[in-house]
Amino acid sequence: MSAEEPQDGSPEDDENLQYFVRIGQTDLDGTKSVERSLTDMKGIGKRMSRIVADAAGVDRHATFGRLEQDDIDAVIDVVENLEQHTPEWMVNRRKDFFSGETNHKVGSDLEQKRRHDINRMKMISSYKGVRHKRGQKVRGQRTKSTGRTEGTIGVNVEAIKEEQAAEEAAGDEE
């Protein structure tokens, strides 16, 4: 029996189970525990999900879909205001470039900010921006032997078979 399955398996528990819990633009799995379900959201990892559950006053091992609506609302409120519940060093947007604020982005907001940052690096032609433009590795990885995007030059068996078939066909016609 896995940790994700209900303990008693009674049918009345399945009636109260909310299979999807929506936070922002993300649907979270209601059959998982609160801690595991929150990690499915971009911008929230294992440690941050523990902080969210503790700040909301919810048992992090409880099944997310079986929580009362008030508890789910408390979790949603904490996720939307994470910078108030976490230390400054733990948030993912410290001293934002444009606003100067410190906040924590989750979900599609995080993806949008990341794209915006990459486009800004490309526009100012910083080293990382140039690497992004060229499609090369950005963070100092080796590129001599890995990260090659061109097609392989190795043996193409299909092309050889087609050539042999064409030669045989030409030999039969003679």
Side-chain angles (χ1 to χ4, degrees), residues 102-113:
T102 297
N103 50 22
H104 193 89
K105 298 290 184 187
V106 293
S108 61
D109 294 337
L110 178 63
E111 295 172 15
Q112 182 181 7
K113 274 293 192 187

Side-chain angles (χ1 to χ4, degrees), residues 71-98:
D71 293 336
I72 292 174
D73 291 339
V75 170
I76 292 171
D77 184 49
V78 170
V79 168
E80 289 174 353
N81 302 310
L82 266 174
E83 59 272 359
Q84 297 172 1
H85 301 281
T86 57
E88 184 176 335
W89 57 267
M90 199 169 185
V91 296
N92 59 10
R93 297 289 299 181
R94 292 176 60 186
K95 298 178 185 172
D96 189 41
F97 181 78
F98 293 107

Side-chain angles (χ1 to χ4, degrees), residues 50-67:
R50 285 184 177 193
I51 290 173
V52 169
D54 291 341
V58 177
D59 179 25
R60 66 179 190 237
H61 299 295
T63 305
F64 203 23
R66 288 201 173 94
L67 293 178

Side-chain angles (χ1 to χ4, degrees), residues 28 46 53 72-73 151 157:
L28 301 178
K46 292 179 183 178
I72 292 174
D73 291 339
V157 177

Side-chain angles (χ1 to χ4, degrees), residues 99-170:
S99 65
E101 298 175 356
T102 297
N103 50 22
H104 193 89
K105 298 290 184 187
V106 293
S108 61
D109 294 337
L110 178 63
E111 295 172 15
Q112 182 181 7
K113 274 293 192 187
R114 183 175 177 271
R115 260 185 274 121
H116 189 266
D117 290 343
I118 290 172
N119 286 337
R120 189 182 84 242
M121 286 188 281
K122 287 179 183 178
M123 284 177 21
I124 64 173
S125 294
S126 68
Y127 177 78
K128 287 174 70 174
V130 170
R131 303 292 286 187
H132 274 292
K133 277 183 192 176
R134 293 180 182 171
Q136 293 179 328
K137 302 206 179 224
V138 176
R139 296 188 175 187
Q141 298 97 326
R142 293 178 180 263
T143 57
K144 182 176 180 179
S145 60
T146 62
R148 297 182 180 175
T149 57
E150 298 298 321
T152 57
I153 304 176
V155 178
N156 191 349
V157 177
E158 294 172 0
I160 294 173
K161 287 182 180 179
E162 289 176 3
E163 289 175 9
Q164 288 176 349
E167 288 175 3
E168 290 177 8

